[in-house]
Amino acid sequence: MTATSLSRPVTAASAPSWVGRYQRRLVAGDALVVCAVVVGSYGGRFGWRPPVMAGVPYHLVGLVIAAAWLLCLHQTRSYDGRMLGYGIDEYRRVANGSLYLAAFVGITCYVLDLPLARGFVALACPVGTAALLGWRCAARTWLRRLRARDASWSHRVLVVGTEFRVTHLIRELRREAQAGYAVAGVCLSDGYDDALPSLPDVPVLGTVDDVRRAVTRAGADTVAATGLTIPRMRALAWELEDMGVNLIVAPALTDVTGPRIHTRPVGGLPLLHVEAPELAGPRRTAKDLLERAVAALAVLALLPVLAVVALAVRLDSPGPAIFRQTRVGLGGRRFTVYKFRSMVVDAEAALADLAARNEKDAVLFKIRHDPRVTRVGRFIRKWSLDELPQLFNVVRGDMSLVGPRPPLPSEVARYGRDAARRLLVRPGITGLWQVSGRSDLTWEDSVRLDLYYVENWSFTADLVILWKTIGAVLRRDGAY
């Protein structure tokens, strides 16, 4: 779902109270992180001696750098209440703020001819960026837990539009509950009863002409409009101007976000320019080469773990340690995927006898307590250790670290046109499906997440997915 904001930036006057509280905590946390990194970099570079640069003590230089860092974070709008707590924009803006700081320090030292120690800056900037991103991730986790317990930490949204589009939008907002949009009611443009037929728990508070009264009645701080005509949309924006209520517009375009979308006004009409997904080119090549190099290093680092798991599998049950299976990759090319064997050797032969116990749909086969899984198999599945041999697939170029789930040929045979787009990129060891529930996902959700990745991948998104994978493994979400 793609939403375009038409409102002014969220300010202390117009934002709900939780936004201001969360922003203040982010600023305080960023300040602590920056100060700790500057002090730590000072000690790491100088060993706590009091050096002087151009007559100015380094501790004063550190204070200037810390203040400039926080100012850069503010200038990149990393505290914008509209994107806090969800998506990758917040992380991108934090990273950009650190880049601006490095540019500021470099230019200042060059113009003023200041002999600032390079080791001090070279240590502070990357460590500080990583620490800031880690803190933002921790703060986001804390915010999601608050939202799960208390709805007052989410935006209260009044959805306005046609019944069909409103119903679709509400379902998308509920599916992505971590985004922080709690639907408080709807106003319909095509007539209404007291509730939506397919969503009886959502109150209908009137028509489009009743939005002002409905906002007050629902206590909404945000209005989400979808499927309205241009005159209706313009009138709605004017009506909300003096109410301190934010307006977001959900267009019909879905599953396209980030740098692929550019807005260009033509005659007062905001046109969305949508670029084609980046399926080839220098950035794709760089991603593939980088992931193969990282996978090779990971194999070397994890050799002791791989040996221990392989030995445990062999000792636990008869059969080879490595399970080989044919999967479908880039462009429909078949390849052999490697995993540690977590089932008995005749697991495939027993599949027909278990078909009636399938807990998923006709495409995917999953049983929470599968009798074919061995004792060691349950353990390595729980901690995703069975996936480690797929690093060799990445080194060979069959797979990526991040990408869609590698499908079976039997699954590909049932693909429609939409699902077949998953084969436009290499499958991954992890992906959006891995950090969103894994085996708990339905087939439709798995396809939706994979297509979203194919359409909108970026290096930043890959880093976020890799980071979230660590949390998903530790929580053991959908691992069975």
Side-chain angles (χ1 to χ4, degrees), residues 307-328:
V308 169
V309 175
L311 179 62
V313 172
R314 289 295 305 272
L315 294 176
D316 182 55
S317 63
I322 298 298
F323 172 72
R324 296 170 173 83
Q325 190 176 50
T326 300
R327 297 291 179 106
V328 181

Side-chain angles (χ1 to χ4, degrees), residues 29-252:
D30 286 352
L32 288 175
V33 169
V34 166
C35 289
V37 168
V38 170
V39 171
S41 299
Y42 176 94
R45 173 62 179 84
F46 302 113
W48 310 112
R49 298 191 308 273
V52 175
M53 180 194 70
V56 180
Y58 250 95
H59 64 274
L60 293 181
V61 174
L63 287 176
V64 172
I65 289 178
W69 206 331
L70 294 174
L71 180 61
C72 288
L73 291 174
H74 181 269
Q75 289 301 111
T76 56
R77 297 172 65 187
S78 67
Y79 304 106
D80 189 338
R82 291 172 296 182
M83 55 83 193
L84 292 177
Y86 184 74
I88 65 173
D89 278 349
E90 179 181 358
Y91 298 126
R92 184 182 292 116
R93 295 182 187 188
V94 169
N96 287 341
S98 298
L99 288 176
Y100 289 176
L101 171 76
F104 166 77
V105 172
I107 293 173
T108 301
C109 291
Y110 176 78
V111 172
L112 301 181
D113 196 24
L114 299 177
L116 182 65
R118 295 190 183 116
F120 175 61
V121 179
L123 182 62
C125 283
V127 172
T129 301
L132 285 170
L133 292 174
W135 152 241
R136 290 298 184 101
C137 183
R140 181 173 292 191
T141 300
W142 170 77
L143 177 61
R144 289 174 181 172
R145 290 177 179 172
L146 282 177
R147 284 172 170 170
R149 298 196 308 263
D150 186 356
S152 67
W153 284 87
S154 296
H155 293 283
R156 288 185 61 81
V157 182
L158 177 72
V159 184
V160 181
T162 63
E163 180 179 328
F164 174 79
R165 296 285 296 279
V166 161
T167 301
H168 174 73
L169 177 56
I170 291 174
R171 285 174 174 162
E172 290 294 316
L173 293 177
R174 288 182 171 179
R175 177 182 292 164
E176 299 293 332
Q178 59 189 2
Y181 291 106
V183 177
V186 302
C187 286
L188 300 177
S189 60
D190 50 359
Y192 72 98
D193 293 319
D194 292 335
L196 296 173
S198 56
L199 296 169
D201 60 321
V202 179
V204 178
L205 304 179
T207 67
V208 177
D209 298 327
D210 303 317
V211 169
R212 177 180 287 270
R213 178 169 55 84
V215 165
T216 303
R217 180 179 171 187
D221 59 75
T222 302
V223 170
T226 177
L228 296 182
T229 63
I230 294 176
R232 285 276 195 180
M233 188 68 70
R234 182 171 57 240
L236 179 61
W238 291 344
E239 188 173 8
L240 297 176
E241 277 184 358
D242 61 343
M243 297 185 66
V245 175
N246 293 300
L247 173 63
I248 59 177
V249 179

